[in-house]
Amino acid sequence: MALYNILQADFLCSDLRGQLVQLVHNGYQQINILESRKGAVRGGHYHKISKEAFFVVSGSVDVAFKRGEEQEIVRFLKNDFFLIEPYTIHRMSFCEDCVLIALYDVPIEKEDGTKDIYSEEIDNA
C-alpha cells in the first residue's frame, strides 16, 4: 500500500474570473481549513480510524510519511490533492505560508470526547 494517494478533484473550472474547484460531493464528515506560516511544523501523529485528505489552496508543504519501515518525503504544491490512510505517520513542514483544506471521512473527535490522534514522530525526516 502506498504511503499516500493522489486524488483528483471532482470538477475544476478556470477562466478570467478565477477558479472554482469542487473537491468532493460526498464521503467526508469533517472539513477543516489549515493556515500555516513559513517555518511551522505540524503533525507527528497518525490516525487509527480516519482517512485524511488534503488539498493545497496556496503555498506548498513538505510531508514526511512513514508506515512500518517505509518512509518518504513529498512536496505538495498549489492544487495538489492527496489522501493519507490510517496508521500512516505524517508530519508537515512549511517552507512558505500555506493554506490547506483537510477532509476526514470520520471525525477526529469521537462521541465520547477522545480523539483519533496518536503521537509518533518520524526519525531522520
Side-chain angles (χ1 to χ4, degrees):
M1 178 187 295
L3 291 173
Y4 66 94
N5 295 305
I6 298 297
L7 301 175
Q8 297 297 317
D10 283 353
F11 176 79
L12 179 118
C13 177
S14 183
D15 60 25
L16 295 175
R17 300 171 294 173
Q19 176 174 281
L20 174 126
V21 178
Q22 176 181 298
L23 296 178
V24 296
H25 60 275
N26 60 31
Y28 292 92
Q29 295 183 28
Q30 178 180 334
I31 300 173
N32 300 339
I33 295 175
L34 179 64
E35 295 183 36
S36 298
R37 299 201 188 280
K38 179 181 179 177
V41 176
R42 295 180 181 265
H45 66 258
Y46 65 95
H47 309 285
K48 291 183 180 180
I49 300 169
S50 300
K51 290 182 182 180
E52 188 173 21
F54 290 95
F55 180 79
V56 183
V57 176
S58 65
S60 63
V61 57
D62 292 332
V63 184
F65 299 97
K66 182 178 182 186
R67 187 170 41 279
E69 296 301 314
E70 194 174 358
Q71 189 167 310
E72 184 175 359
I73 299 174
V74 179
R75 177 166 287 176
F76 294 100
L77 308 172
K78 180 180 178 177
N79 291 334
D80 284 345
F81 193 21
F82 61 98
L83 175 74
I84 304 172
E85 295 283 347
Y87 291 96
T88 302
I89 303 165
H90 50 283
R91 183 183 69 224
M92 299 180 168
S93 301
F94 298 90
C95 54
E96 62 181 314
D97 290 353
C98 183
V99 177
L100 300 170
I101 297 175
L103 304 99
Y104 303 86
D105 67 333
V106 177
I108 294 296
E109 188 169 335
K110 301 174 192 173
E111 288 185 16
D112 66 3
T114 61
K115 295 184 179 180
D116 180 30
I117 299 176
Y118 301 88
S119 294
E120 188 164 335
E121 195 45 67
I122 300 175
D123 298 328
N124 301 321

